[in-house]
Amino acid sequence: MTPTEPTAISPSTPSTAKVAFVLERYGVLVAFGGLILWNAVFSSGASTFRDPTNLRNILNQNAATGIVAVGMTLVIVVGGIDLSVGSIMALAGASAILIMNSLLASGMSEWTAVACAGSIAIAIGLACGALNGLLVTLGRLPAFIATLGGLSAFRSITLAIADGGELRADATEVLTLIGRGGIPLVPGSLIGRSTALVVYWNILLFFAIAILGEIILSRSRFGRHVVAVGGNETAARYSAIPVNRVRLITYVLIGGLASVAGLILTARNNSMSSSQLGLLMELDAIAAVVIGGTSMAGGRGRVWGTVLGVLILAIINNMLVVAEVSPYWQGCVKGAIIVLAVLIQRGRR
Amino acid sequence: MRPVEPPQVAVEVDGIIKDFPATRALDGVTLAFGKGEVHGLIGENGAGKSTLMRILAGLLKPDAGAVRVGGRTVSVGSVAEANALGIAMIHQELNLVGSLTVAENIFLGREPRTMGFVRRRRMEALAASLLVHVGASVDPGAVVERLSVAEQQLVEIAKALAADATFLIMDEPTAVLSARETKALFSLIRRLAASGVSIVYISHLLPEVLALCTRISVLRDGKLVTTLLPRDTSESSLASLMVGRELSDVFPPKRLPPVDVAPALELRSLCVEPTVFDVSLTVAPGEIVGLAGLVGSGRTESAEAVVGLRDVGRGQVRVFGLDVSFRDPREALATGVAYVSEDRKGRGVHLDMSCVANVTLAHLGAYGRFFPNTAREQSAARRWVDRLAIRAPDITAPIRTLSGGNQQKFAVAKWLDANPRIVILDEPTRGIDLGAKREMYRLIAELASQGLACLVISSELPELLGLCHRIVVMRQGRTVGVVGEGEMTEERIMHLAAGVDAAPRPSA
C-alpha cells in the first residue's frame, strides 16, 4: 500500500466530530449491544431472557417482519417505499390455502399440493411487486401513491376471496413441519439442556435472506446501481444505469419476500385471517429500516442495520411484555424509539 | 510586488485554521477586505478559497482564528447571522428552489407582506427591477427550474442584492455566463463597489480577475501567498504564484488532424424540440472538434439528444456510418458514445458515493458480471488519480469531500474509464484551476491521438482555440459555421455566435 494511506486514515486528534461520526454510523450497533447487555446481564430477568428458548421465540416471532424489512431496505435505498407489503402477505397466504385445499380435494398428495400452492403464492407476490414497480417506473407514480393503492387493493382482493373471514388448511401435517419444524442446530450440551434446541426453518430463512440481502446491497453490481439510483436518479440515468429496471427489480423482490413472509405465518398457524394477516406490517418494516440507519431519502442504507432494527424492536417488545406493560403503551414506546433513532443518526450538516 | 493594505477595512479574517478529516484546508489565513473594493481571490482547486468564504458566509465554523466585521470580532455561526452582518454569498453551485418562481426565490423568507399575506404584485415588480439591474431578461413569474443555468445564476445574484448585502462573495459567477452577460455583470460589480459594497471575487479566469479587481490575494495549500495590486502583476506571474512553480504552455501541441477518415460521429440537420432546429457536424476519429456558441444556443441539448437523453425530432445521428437512435446513455455507451455532462453536481457525479464507485459506475459490469471486484475498481481509480493528478486523500471517501475541480476530474474519468470511441465533453474544465485544466487538455489531446473522436463544448473560447482542430459554431439552435485551423480567432467565432457575421443567416 502507498505510504500516505495510514496518515490519511488515522485521525490526528480525537474529537467530538469523530464520536458523532461513529454514533451516526454505528449507533444502531451500540444500541443493540446495550440492549443485549442490559437484558442478558444486568436486568432482574436476565436469566429468563438468556434462556435459549426465549431467544429462539423472539426470533421466531419476528422472522416474517425481518424478511419483509430486508426487502424494504432495498426499496427505500432506491428512493421508494412499499406500503403494500402487508396486503401482499395476506393475499399470498389466502391464495396458498385456497389453492392447496382445492388441489387436496382433487386428490393430490399433501407435499405436492403444498409445493404447488406455495410456488403460485410466491408468483402472485412477485406479480404484485411487478405491478407496483411498473406503476412507479412506466406509470411515473410516486411510490407512496402506487403502493398505497396496492395496500388497499391487495387486501380487498384477499377479503373477497376469503369472504372476509379466516381460511383453514384442510391438511396440516406438512404445514406444521414447515411452519413449526426446524433442525436441532444448537447441541444440548452447549446450553445445559438434555436435548438440542430446534432452530425453526423460518429463523434460518430470515438469516439466509438477510445475509443475501446484505451481500446484494453492499457488494453486487445491482446493489451499487440501487444506491446510485436512490442517491441521484438523474445522475444515474446520465451514468448509463438502467434506472427503471433497477427500480422495478426492487419492487418485484419485496413482493416475493412479502409473500414468503405471508406463507411463513400461514404455515405456522395452518390458517390465515384475511383481515389480520400482515396488518400494519409496512410500518414495522419501515421502522426497522429507519432504526437501522437507512436514509428515508434514499441512496444510503445497509441491510445489517435493518436486521438489528428488527431485533431491537423485538427485544424491546419482549421487555415490555415481561415487565407487564399494557399493550396499549407498546406503540408509544416503539414510536419514541423510531424518532430517537433518527435523531441520533441524522448526522451533522 | 509588495503586499498592499486596503484603505478602510470592512471585513477581516485573522489566523483562520480549518481542518477537514484528512486535510488542513486553511492554515492560519489573515486577510483584510476593504470597503468598496473588488477583492480577487485566486488559487488552485483545494487551495482553500471556497472554504475561507464559506466560513465568512456562516456555512462552516473555523477551528481557530477570528472574523472581524467593522473592527468588531463576530461569530458567524449561520447564514442568517452572516446576512445580518451584511455578508451574502453567491455559490458556484446554484442554490435556488427549483419549483418556486424567480420572484419567490429572490424574496424567499423576506417576502413583502401586508397582514401576513404576500404582496405578489409588489414582489414581482421589485424582482423585475432587480432583474433589470443585473441584466437578466427573465420573467419574475417564471418557474426557476425552467430557466437556463445562466439565468438561474443571475437570479441568484439578484437574490443577494435584494438582501441589502454590503459584503458580497461571488464564487465563480461567470463560469456559466456568456461574454455579454459577463460584461453586464462586471459593470454591475463596479457600480456596486462604487456605492461602497465590498466584493470578494473568486475565479479561475485570470484575465477577468486582472481586469475587474482592485486587489488580488493568492491562496496556496491553505495559506495566503500574497496580496497584490493588479497593475503590479500579470497573468503568468499570478499563475506561477498559484501553483508555486512556473507553468509551461497550457495547451499541448496540436497534432495534425486525421485526413480523409470517415467520420465517427455525424449529425445531420438534427432537430430537438424546442430549442434545436438544425445542427450538422462531423467528428472524425482522432479529431478534437469544438462546439462554440452562447449560453442557450442549444449545444447541450444537441449533445444530450445524441446519447438519448432528449428526443430527436427531425434529422439523423450517425455513428461510424450507421444511423442510430439511442434511447438512453446506456445504449449510447454500448455503441461507444459517452457524454460528460456540464452539470457536475446534479448529473455528473454521485456526491455521496465514493470516488472509486463514481469512476466505475458507468460500466460496472466490466469489473464483474454480478459482483464488482473491489481491488480492480480501486486500482482503476488510482490510475485516474495519477493520470489526472487528482487531489484525493482517500479514494474510498465520498466524492463530496473533494473540491469541485477534483470532482470534475473524476466525472471525466468515469467516462474515459468506460473506453468510449466517441466522447462529448460538455464544459470539461468548468470550475477547475489552471494546472488541472492543463492536465485535462493534455489528456484530451492524448486520447485523440489514440483515435478517440472528441467533441468539446465550451464557453471559454481560448480553450477551444488552443485545443481543437475545428470549431463548429452554434447560434439559436442552428450550426452557423465551421472555423478551421487557419482562421481561428476569438473575434471570428464571437461574430458567428452572436450573429453579427458579414453574411448572417436568417435567424429563427
Side-chain angles (χ1 to χ4, degrees):
Chain A
M1 291 288 143
T2 55
T4 55
E5 265 195 4
T7 51
I9 290 165
S10 65
S12 49
T13 47
S15 63
T16 51
K18 293 279 175 205
V19 175
F21 174 76
V22 168
L23 210 59
E24 185 187 333
R25 183 165 285 189
Y26 299 111
V28 62
L29 202 59
V30 174
F32 179 70
L35 265 181
I36 292 288
L37 208 62
W38 166 256
N39 279 288
V41 181
F42 298 112
S43 149
S44 56
S47 58
T48 321
F49 179 82
R50 278 201 308 262
D51 178 38
T53 317
N54 179 52
L55 294 176
R56 179 191 65 184
N57 290 345
I58 292 178
L59 287 174
N60 187 38
Q61 283 155 17
N62 291 279
T65 312
I67 289 170
V68 173
V70 170
M72 192 67 84
T73 311
L74 290 177
V75 172
I76 288 178
V77 172
V78 90
I81 193 136
D82 191 343
L83 302 179
S84 70
V85 284
S87 300
I88 294 179
M89 286 172 68
L91 183 57
S95 18
I97 289 190
L98 287 175
I99 293 165
M100 180 185 148
N101 285 350
S102 69
L103 290 176
L104 286 172
S106 71
M108 195 181 265
S109 84
E110 196 177 331
W111 273 109
T112 332
V114 168
C116 286
S119 316
I120 296 172
I122 289 172
I124 290 173
L126 294 170
C128 291
L131 180 63
N132 284 335
L134 288 173
L135 288 173
V136 170
T137 52
L138 297 185
R140 296 186 188 183
L141 284 182
F144 191 95
I145 305 296
T147 59
L148 187 63
L151 168 74
S152 175
F154 302 147
R155 173 71 63 184
S156 163
I157 297 171
T158 311
L159 290 169
I161 61 176
D163 216 9
E166 194 177 77
L167 295 175
R168 303 204 138 270
D170 289 342
T172 59
E173 201 178 319
V174 174
L175 285 189
T176 307
L177 272 177
I178 296 172
R180 300 188 207 172
I183 38 175
L185 210 59
V186 185
S189 57
L190 209 67
I191 51 175
R193 288 179 8 160
S194 53
T195 54
L197 182 73
V198 172
V199 179
Y200 299 135
W201 292 119
N202 61 43
I203 296 174
L204 296 172
L205 191 63
F206 167 39
F207 284 148
I209 287 172
I211 291 168
L212 207 63
E214 172 65 27
I215 291 173
I216 285 175
L217 185 59
S218 67
R219 298 257 173 267
S220 79
R221 176 153 76 121
F222 173 70
R224 192 83 62 83
H225 284 175
V226 166
V227 171
V229 172
N232 182 340
E233 192 185 325
T234 312
R237 197 158 55 92
Y238 274 71
S239 302
I241 289 172
V243 173
N244 278 349
R245 190 195 305 170
V246 170
R247 293 206 296 173
L248 178 63
I249 291 173
T250 61
Y251 287 98
V252 172
L253 279 177
I254 196 174
L257 291 175
S259 61
V260 167
L263 293 179
I264 284 174
L265 296 183
T266 304
R268 187 190 297 161
N269 300 324
N270 297 322
S271 70
M272 63 82 58
S273 155
S274 59
S275 59
Q276 291 301 310
L277 180 64
L279 201 66
L280 298 184
M281 177 57 84
E282 64 283 356
L283 295 187
D284 286 343
I286 294 168
V289 171
V290 167
I291 291 171
T294 292
S295 158
M296 282 302 283
R300 214 148 37 85
R302 60 265 173 110
V303 172
W304 65 262
T306 299
V307 171
L308 293 186
V310 171
L311 298 180
I312 286 172
L313 284 174
I315 291 170
I316 287 173
N317 222 34
N318 184 260
M319 286 165 69
L320 295 174
V321 170
V322 170
E324 292 180 355
V325 173
S326 153
Y328 298 134
W329 283 106
Q330 289 172 13
C332 191
V333 175
K334 196 195 281 180
I337 289 161
I338 295 167
V339 172
L340 200 68
V342 177
L343 273 178
I344 291 172
Q345 297 179 11
R346 184 176 47 187
R348 302 146 301 115
R349 286 283 156 187
Chain B
M1 299 242 306
R2 223 176 34 251
V4 281
E5 291 301 318
Q8 186 192 346
V9 173
V11 173
E12 222 172 339
V13 293
D14 191 356
I16 297 281
I17 292 175
K18 178 70 192 173
D19 285 320
F20 287 133
T23 50
R24 170 158 287 192
L26 291 174
D27 192 4
V29 174
T30 300
L31 188 52
F33 302 98
K35 193 167 171 354
E37 78 165 338
V38 183
H39 197 122
L41 195 57
I42 63 172
E44 285 196 290
N45 298 136
K49 309 174 300 271
S50 294
T51 307
L52 183 62
M53 290 306 115
R54 288 164 71 84
I55 286 171
L56 283 180
L59 292 161
L60 286 174
K61 283 193 180 135
D63 294 325
V67 176
R68 283 192 283 275
V69 174
R72 200 164 47 87
T73 303
V74 294
S75 131
V76 197
S78 67
V79 177
E81 282 179 34
N83 288 347
L85 293 163
I87 302 173
M89 180 162 180
I90 292 155
H91 292 270
Q92 193 175 346
E93 267 109 22
L94 303 170
N95 252 328
L96 299 170
V97 184
S99 56
L100 296 183
T101 67
V102 171
E104 284 165 346
N105 266 288
I106 291 177
F107 291 100
L108 197 61
R110 288 187 303 270
E111 295 85 355
R113 271 164 300 204
T114 315
M115 289 164 56
F117 293 99
V118 175
R119 299 173 61 190
R120 179 162 288 277
R121 267 170 204 284
R122 170 149 178 73
M123 187 168 85
E124 297 203 342
L126 286 171
S129 73
L130 276 164
L131 290 168
V132 168
H133 197 48
V134 300
S137 58
V138 299
D139 176 7
V143 177
V144 158
E145 62 194 358
R146 298 262 174 89
L147 301 182
S148 73
V149 184
E151 289 166 338
Q152 291 188 18
Q153 180 85 69
L154 292 175
V155 172
E156 184 107 63
I157 294 169
K159 180 181 171 183
L161 295 179
D164 296 325
T166 55
F167 190 86
L168 207 54
I169 301 162
M170 296 189 181
D171 193 355
E172 299 261 358
T174 61
V176 290
L177 301 187
S178 68
R180 189 175 53 81
E181 290 160 334
T182 300
K183 226 171 152 183
L185 177 67
F186 282 9
S187 67
L188 171 64
I189 289 176
R190 292 198 180 96
R191 279 207 305 280
L192 288 170
S195 69
V197 175
S198 311
I199 286 150
V200 180
Y201 188 86
I202 302 178
S203 178
H204 286 119
L205 302 174
L206 299 180
E208 272 189 5
V209 174
L210 282 165
L212 180 69
C213 299
T214 48
R215 288 195 306 153
I216 301 169
S217 290
V218 185
L219 284 180
R220 185 170 72 223
D221 298 330
K223 293 192 178 82
L224 179 70
V225 179
T226 184
T227 299
L228 304 151
L229 292 174
R231 67 162 182 269
D232 293 339
T233 185
S234 68
E235 221 178 297
S236 62
S237 69
L238 283 179
S240 40
L241 283 173
M242 275 162 57
V243 295
R245 60 188 152 79
E246 289 295 325
L247 267 185
S248 53
D249 290 341
V250 174
F251 296 104
K254 282 190 193 178
R255 300 191 190 220
L256 284 178
V259 195
D260 291 338
V261 187
L265 175 69
E266 185 175 6
L267 307 187
R268 286 190 173 182
S269 306
L270 187 72
C271 166
V272 186
E273 295 292 342
T275 47
V276 178
F277 308 107
D278 184 3
V279 171
S280 300
L281 59 85
T282 63
V283 189
E287 196 182 21
I288 306 172
V289 175
L291 189 53
L294 302 178
V295 171
S297 60
R299 298 170 303 174
T300 295
E301 291 79 359
S302 306
E304 291 189 342
V306 169
V307 295
L309 287 161
R310 289 169 189 266
D311 290 332
V312 174
R314 281 171 289 107
Q316 284 126 37
V317 179
R318 288 189 174 185
V319 172
F320 293 104
L322 297 172
D323 274 337
V324 293
S325 170
F326 302 126
R327 279 175 300 181
D328 54 36
R330 221 169 102 75
E331 282 189 5
L333 188 62
T335 317
V337 186
Y339 167 66
V340 185
S341 171
E342 61 171 338
D343 178 7
R344 177 184 67 238
K345 192 178 162 192
R347 305 191 162 112
V349 297
H350 278 82
L351 290 169
D352 286 323
M353 294 178 80
S354 72
C355 304
V356 180
N358 269 289
V359 167
T360 59
L361 192 61
H363 71 141
L364 200 51
Y367 293 89
R369 174 105 176 76
F370 295 108
F371 296 97
N373 180 328
T374 319
R376 273 183 54 215
E377 284 188 80
Q378 293 199 356
S379 71
R382 277 202 199 91
R383 260 201 319 279
W384 287 110
V385 165
D386 290 342
R387 197 158 170 194
L388 293 174
I390 303 176
R391 277 193 210 174
D394 177 7
I395 55 172
T396 60
I399 202 165
R400 181 189 287 287
T401 57
L402 303 187
S403 70
N406 286 308
Q407 290 178 16
Q408 175 68 17
K409 291 184 188 175
F410 271 120
V412 174
K414 165 162 85 175
W415 289 103
L416 297 180
D417 197 60
N419 295 315
R421 291 185 296 169
I422 299 167
V423 66
I424 305 173
L425 297 151
D426 199 348
E427 304 283 2
T429 64
R430 175 182 289 169
I432 71 177
D433 62 60
L434 203 61
K437 277 184 182 174
R438 190 166 161 271
E439 287 141 20
M440 190 70 76
Y441 299 146
R442 254 148 243 277
L443 179 77
I444 294 170
E446 185 195 323
L447 291 165
S449 74
Q450 293 162 7
L452 187 71
C454 301
L455 181 62
V456 180
I457 301 175
S458 176
S459 296
E460 277 182 55
L461 287 183
E463 170 169 300
L464 293 180
L465 296 177
L467 189 65
C468 300
H469 298 124
R470 282 188 299 135
I471 297 173
V472 177
V473 185
M474 283 185 69
R475 180 175 75 238
Q476 295 179 340
R478 294 164 200 278
T479 40
V480 290
V482 182
V483 182
E485 184 69 79
E487 38 182 7
M488 272 188 202
T489 61
E490 286 196 38
E491 291 71 29
R492 169 121 180 86
I493 294 168
M494 276 319 296
H495 282 179
L496 283 168
V500 290
D501 197 38
R505 291 196 190 180
S507 65

Short mmCIF file of all heavy atoms in Angstrom, two decimals, chain A residues 74 211-224 227 301-304, chain B residues 371-372 374:
data_model
loop_
_atom_site.label_atom_id
_atom_site.label_comp_id
_atom_site.label_asym_id
_atom_site.label_seq_id
_atom_site.Cartn_x
_atom_site.Cartn_y
_atom_site.Cartn_z
N LEU A 74 -34.03 -2.38 0.52
CA LEU A 74 -33.67 -2.15 -0.88
C LEU A 74 -34.58 -1.10 -1.51
O LEU A 74 -34.13 -0.20 -2.21
CB LEU A 74 -33.77 -3.46 -1.68
CG LEU A 74 -32.70 -4.51 -1.37
CD1 LEU A 74 -32.97 -5.77 -2.17
CD2 LEU A 74 -31.32 -3.98 -1.68
N ILE A 211 -28.55 -12.25 5.03
CA ILE A 211 -27.17 -12.30 4.56
C ILE A 211 -27.11 -12.05 3.05
O ILE A 211 -26.31 -11.24 2.57
CB ILE A 211 -26.53 -13.67 4.90
CG1 ILE A 211 -26.34 -13.77 6.42
CG2 ILE A 211 -25.19 -13.85 4.20
CD1 ILE A 211 -26.00 -15.16 6.91
N LEU A 212 -28.02 -12.69 2.34
CA LEU A 212 -28.08 -12.49 0.89
C LEU A 212 -28.35 -11.01 0.57
O LEU A 212 -27.72 -10.42 -0.31
CB LEU A 212 -29.19 -13.36 0.32
CG LEU A 212 -29.04 -13.79 -1.13
CD1 LEU A 212 -27.81 -14.66 -1.29
CD2 LEU A 212 -30.28 -14.54 -1.58
N GLY A 213 -29.30 -10.43 1.28
CA GLY A 213 -29.66 -9.03 1.06
C GLY A 213 -28.48 -8.10 1.31
O GLY A 213 -28.22 -7.17 0.55
N GLU A 214 -27.75 -8.37 2.39
CA GLU A 214 -26.59 -7.54 2.73
C GLU A 214 -25.54 -7.64 1.62
O GLU A 214 -24.97 -6.64 1.19
CB GLU A 214 -26.01 -7.98 4.07
CG GLU A 214 -24.68 -7.33 4.45
CD GLU A 214 -24.78 -5.82 4.66
OE1 GLU A 214 -25.87 -5.34 5.01
OE2 GLU A 214 -23.77 -5.12 4.43
N ILE A 215 -25.30 -8.88 1.17
CA ILE A 215 -24.30 -9.06 0.11
C ILE A 215 -24.74 -8.34 -1.16
O ILE A 215 -23.95 -7.65 -1.81
CB ILE A 215 -24.08 -10.57 -0.17
CG1 ILE A 215 -23.38 -11.21 1.04
CG2 ILE A 215 -23.26 -10.78 -1.43
CD1 ILE A 215 -23.26 -12.71 0.95
N ILE A 216 -26.03 -8.48 -1.50
CA ILE A 216 -26.52 -7.84 -2.72
C ILE A 216 -26.37 -6.32 -2.63
O ILE A 216 -25.87 -5.67 -3.53
CB ILE A 216 -27.99 -8.23 -2.97
CG1 ILE A 216 -28.05 -9.66 -3.49
CG2 ILE A 216 -28.64 -7.28 -3.98
CD1 ILE A 216 -29.45 -10.19 -3.65
N LEU A 217 -26.79 -5.75 -1.49
CA LEU A 217 -26.77 -4.29 -1.39
C LEU A 217 -25.35 -3.74 -1.33
O LEU A 217 -25.04 -2.72 -1.93
CB LEU A 217 -27.59 -3.83 -0.18
CG LEU A 217 -27.74 -2.31 -0.05
CD1 LEU A 217 -28.43 -1.73 -1.28
CD2 LEU A 217 -28.53 -1.94 1.19
N SER A 218 -24.47 -4.42 -0.61
CA SER A 218 -23.16 -3.81 -0.39
C SER A 218 -22.10 -4.29 -1.36
O SER A 218 -21.08 -3.64 -1.52
CB SER A 218 -22.70 -4.06 1.05
OG SER A 218 -22.45 -5.44 1.25
N ARG A 219 -22.32 -5.45 -1.99
CA ARG A 219 -21.23 -5.99 -2.81
C ARG A 219 -21.57 -6.13 -4.29
O ARG A 219 -20.68 -6.18 -5.12
CB ARG A 219 -20.82 -7.37 -2.29
CG ARG A 219 -20.29 -7.38 -0.89
CD ARG A 219 -18.78 -7.50 -0.85
NE ARG A 219 -18.27 -7.36 0.50
CZ ARG A 219 -17.87 -6.20 1.01
NH1 ARG A 219 -17.91 -5.11 0.28
NH2 ARG A 219 -17.42 -6.12 2.24
N SER A 220 -22.85 -6.22 -4.63
CA SER A 220 -23.16 -6.57 -6.01
C SER A 220 -23.28 -5.34 -6.90
O SER A 220 -23.44 -4.21 -6.43
CB SER A 220 -24.46 -7.37 -6.09
OG SER A 220 -25.56 -6.50 -5.99
N ARG A 221 -23.22 -5.59 -8.19
CA ARG A 221 -23.39 -4.53 -9.16
C ARG A 221 -24.80 -3.95 -9.04
O ARG A 221 -24.99 -2.74 -9.04
CB ARG A 221 -23.18 -5.10 -10.56
CG ARG A 221 -23.43 -4.10 -11.66
CD ARG A 221 -22.63 -4.42 -12.89
NE ARG A 221 -23.19 -5.54 -13.64
CZ ARG A 221 -23.59 -5.44 -14.92
NH1 ARG A 221 -23.52 -4.29 -15.53
NH2 ARG A 221 -24.05 -6.48 -15.54
N PHE A 222 -25.79 -4.85 -8.90
CA PHE A 222 -27.17 -4.40 -8.74
C PHE A 222 -27.29 -3.48 -7.52
O PHE A 222 -27.92 -2.42 -7.58
CB PHE A 222 -28.09 -5.61 -8.61
CG PHE A 222 -29.50 -5.26 -8.27
CD1 PHE A 222 -30.32 -4.64 -9.20
CD2 PHE A 222 -30.02 -5.53 -7.01
CE1 PHE A 222 -31.63 -4.30 -8.89
CE2 PHE A 222 -31.32 -5.20 -6.69
CZ PHE A 222 -32.12 -4.58 -7.63
N GLY A 223 -26.66 -3.89 -6.42
CA GLY A 223 -26.72 -3.08 -5.20
C GLY A 223 -26.14 -1.69 -5.41
O GLY A 223 -26.68 -0.68 -4.96
N ARG A 224 -25.03 -1.63 -6.13
CA ARG A 224 -24.41 -0.34 -6.42
C ARG A 224 -25.36 0.52 -7.24
O ARG A 224 -25.50 1.72 -7.02
CB ARG A 224 -23.10 -0.58 -7.17
CG ARG A 224 -22.19 0.61 -7.31
CD ARG A 224 -21.33 0.85 -6.10
NE ARG A 224 -20.42 -0.25 -5.82
CZ ARG A 224 -19.24 -0.41 -6.40
NH1 ARG A 224 -18.82 0.45 -7.29
NH2 ARG A 224 -18.46 -1.42 -6.09
N VAL A 227 -28.07 1.95 -5.02
CA VAL A 227 -27.58 3.11 -4.27
C VAL A 227 -27.49 4.33 -5.19
O VAL A 227 -27.88 5.44 -4.82
CB VAL A 227 -26.20 2.80 -3.65
CG1 VAL A 227 -25.56 4.06 -3.07
CG2 VAL A 227 -26.33 1.73 -2.58
N GLY A 301 -27.88 3.14 2.82
CA GLY A 301 -28.53 2.19 3.70
C GLY A 301 -27.76 0.90 3.82
O GLY A 301 -26.82 0.67 3.07
N ARG A 302 -28.17 0.09 4.79
CA ARG A 302 -27.49 -1.20 4.96
C ARG A 302 -28.48 -2.19 5.52
O ARG A 302 -29.31 -1.87 6.37
CB ARG A 302 -26.26 -1.05 5.86
CG ARG A 302 -26.55 -0.54 7.27
CD ARG A 302 -26.37 1.00 7.38
NE ARG A 302 -26.81 1.47 8.70
CZ ARG A 302 -25.99 1.92 9.65
NH1 ARG A 302 -24.73 2.04 9.41
NH2 ARG A 302 -26.46 2.26 10.82
N VAL A 303 -28.37 -3.42 5.04
CA VAL A 303 -29.29 -4.47 5.48
C VAL A 303 -28.97 -4.91 6.90
O VAL A 303 -29.88 -5.16 7.69
CB VAL A 303 -29.26 -5.66 4.50
CG1 VAL A 303 -30.04 -6.83 5.05
CG2 VAL A 303 -29.80 -5.24 3.14
N TRP A 304 -27.68 -4.96 7.25
CA TRP A 304 -27.36 -5.41 8.61
C TRP A 304 -27.97 -4.49 9.65
O TRP A 304 -28.40 -4.92 10.73
CB TRP A 304 -25.85 -5.57 8.82
CG TRP A 304 -25.00 -4.32 8.73
CD1 TRP A 304 -24.30 -3.89 7.65
CD2 TRP A 304 -24.77 -3.36 9.77
NE1 TRP A 304 -23.64 -2.71 7.94
CE2 TRP A 304 -23.91 -2.36 9.23
CE3 TRP A 304 -25.18 -3.22 11.08
CZ2 TRP A 304 -23.47 -1.26 9.97
CZ3 TRP A 304 -24.75 -2.12 11.82
CH2 TRP A 304 -23.91 -1.15 11.27
N PHE B 371 -20.74 -9.36 -9.22
CA PHE B 371 -20.05 -8.75 -8.08
C PHE B 371 -18.77 -8.07 -8.55
O PHE B 371 -17.84 -8.73 -8.97
CB PHE B 371 -19.74 -9.81 -7.03
CG PHE B 371 -20.98 -10.39 -6.43
CD1 PHE B 371 -21.50 -11.58 -6.91
CD2 PHE B 371 -21.65 -9.72 -5.42
CE1 PHE B 371 -22.67 -12.10 -6.36
CE2 PHE B 371 -22.82 -10.23 -4.88
CZ PHE B 371 -23.33 -11.42 -5.36
N PRO B 372 -18.76 -6.72 -8.51
CA PRO B 372 -17.57 -6.00 -8.95
C PRO B 372 -16.37 -6.37 -8.07
O PRO B 372 -16.52 -6.51 -6.86
CB PRO B 372 -17.96 -4.53 -8.76
CG PRO B 372 -19.44 -4.51 -8.57
CD PRO B 372 -19.83 -5.84 -8.05
N THR B 374 -13.57 -5.33 -6.09
CA THR B 374 -13.22 -4.08 -5.44
C THR B 374 -11.76 -3.69 -5.66
O THR B 374 -11.44 -2.52 -5.89
CB THR B 374 -13.47 -4.19 -3.93
OG1 THR B 374 -14.69 -4.89 -3.74
CG2 THR B 374 -13.58 -2.83 -3.30
#
